[in-house]
Amino acid sequence: MPEGDTVWQTARRLHGALAGRVLTRSDLRVPRFATADLTGRGVLDVTPRGKHLLTRVEGGLTLHSHLRMEGAWHVYAPGDHWRGGPTHQIRAILGNTEAVAVGYRLPVLALIRTADEPDVVGHLGPDLLGPDWDAVEAARRLTADPARPLGEALLDQRNLAGIGNVYKCELAFLAAASPWLPVGELGPDVPARLVATAHRLLEANKDRPDRRTTTTRSVRGGGLYVYGRGGRPCLRCGAPVRKDESGDRITYWCPGCQQGPLPQSPPS
């Protein structure tokens, strides 16, 4: 599942392959923009905004994409075999004389005016990896609805942009709070520390091939504390990590380390 650090890495690869070069190939395989042709236009930059990707080209146009659960961009050299999936899953191709970028399974792909970017990303909260990062504002937004469960508040991109399900689970663990604990019941200093931890982890992982939230000394069998570890011992207390599959996303937590309410459905 792509999260803010993964999207940042994707933007860096796309920027390196496309920015400053003229497009010699353009193929948008979505009905609304199938006739759009960007060949002959130079790519100005590729910018991440939370989990969104903004590929800006000459002429005041931006190709907006979002990876959501299964989308991916791959960059290939001319003549390389494309390995991102079957041909029918390709949604976009952008190429120049030195590289070709291929977008697979992109659930969101739209060609918009660059001036209209606020229409698609203006609702986002402070970007954890962006120049607008504001920890105070992020903490304020995170706790604006005191009754909202912590997990939901962390996933809401209007609060802080870039957190997905992996970080939701890991951050709740590091805050020693159940993902179902209302944010208003967090300790007075916890929201600020939690936001600072989120920023630190995404900054650290944006340059790593494998995401890690544990410290070197605490690693015993993995780089994550709870995510994907259902039924296995907690790396801190040894209690079995639990998982709840009742929502859209699986939630992992440690009942020994995290205080607060349990999910309404029986966890596995």
Side-chain angles (χ1 to χ4, degrees):
M1 177 188 300
E3 308 214 6
D5 48 8
T6 304
V7 174
W8 192 92
Q9 293 172 11
T10 299
R12 181 171 58 179
R13 288 196 302 271
L14 290 174
H15 184 87
L18 301 175
R21 300 184 176 95
V22 174
L23 292 172
T24 57
R25 185 173 184 180
S26 166
D27 186 359
L28 306 183
R29 299 182 180 180
V30 293
R32 184 178 176 186
F33 303 104
T35 60
D37 185 5
L38 300 177
T39 57
R41 298 175 186 258
V43 176
L44 303 177
D45 64 77
V46 181
T47 297
R49 182 72 175 86
K51 298 186 186 182
H52 299 253
L53 285 164
L54 303 171
T55 302
R56 301 177 179 125
V57 299
E58 292 176 339
L61 295 176
T62 295
L63 185 64
H64 168 233
S65 59
H66 195 297
L67 306 181
R68 286 191 182 166
M69 298 289 285
E70 297 182 348
W73 279 96
H74 295 268
V75 176
Y76 303 104
D80 279 356
H81 174 64
W82 297 359
R83 302 173 299 276
T87 301
H88 72 266
Q89 293 183 348
I90 295 174
R91 298 292 177 266
I93 303 172
L94 298 176
N96 52 49
T97 57
E98 299 182 34
V100 59
V102 186
Y104 290 88
R105 301 171 298 279
L106 300 174
V108 175
L109 186 70
L111 189 62
I112 63 173
R113 295 190 308 162
T114 301
D116 293 335
E117 286 180 8
D119 293 343
V120 295
V121 297
H123 65 288
L124 299 176
D127 187 341
L128 283 153
L129 294 177
D132 71 326
W133 172 243
D134 184 334
V136 173
E137 176 63 12
R140 185 195 69 78
R141 293 189 181 209
L142 185 68
T143 56
D145 182 356
R148 195 172 194 187
L150 173 61
E152 285 186 18
L154 286 170
L155 284 177
D156 191 336
Q157 302 300 294
R158 295 170 296 182
N159 294 334
L160 56 168
I163 290 179
N165 201 41
V166 176
Y167 281 116
K168 176 201 78 174
C169 297
E170 295 295 292
L171 287 167
F173 175 84
L174 291 168
S178 159
W180 299 277
L181 181 74
V183 293
E185 296 182 22
L186 292 170
D189 63 332
V190 172
R193 286 193 291 108
L194 191 153
V195 164
T197 299
H199 183 240
R200 175 178 58 81
L201 289 176
L202 266 77
E203 279 285 349
N205 283 310
K206 72 180 185 180
D207 293 318
R208 290 174 177 164
D210 298 311
R211 184 179 293 124
R212 177 179 295 277
T213 60
T214 60
T215 63
T216 303
R217 288 176 296 176
S218 65
V219 175
R220 287 176 292 168
L224 300 176
Y225 282 107
V226 291
Y227 187 85
R229 295 181 54 85
R232 299 168 65 186
C234 172
L235 296 175
R236 281 188 173 170
C237 74
V241 172
R242 310 292 292 275
K243 68 176 180 178
D244 173 59
E245 303 179 75
S246 62
D248 294 336
R249 299 181 175 98
I250 299 176
T251 298
Y252 297 88
W253 83 102
C254 172
C257 294
Q258 295 171 256
Q259 304 301 310
L262 299 177
Q264 294 182 352
S265 63
S268 58

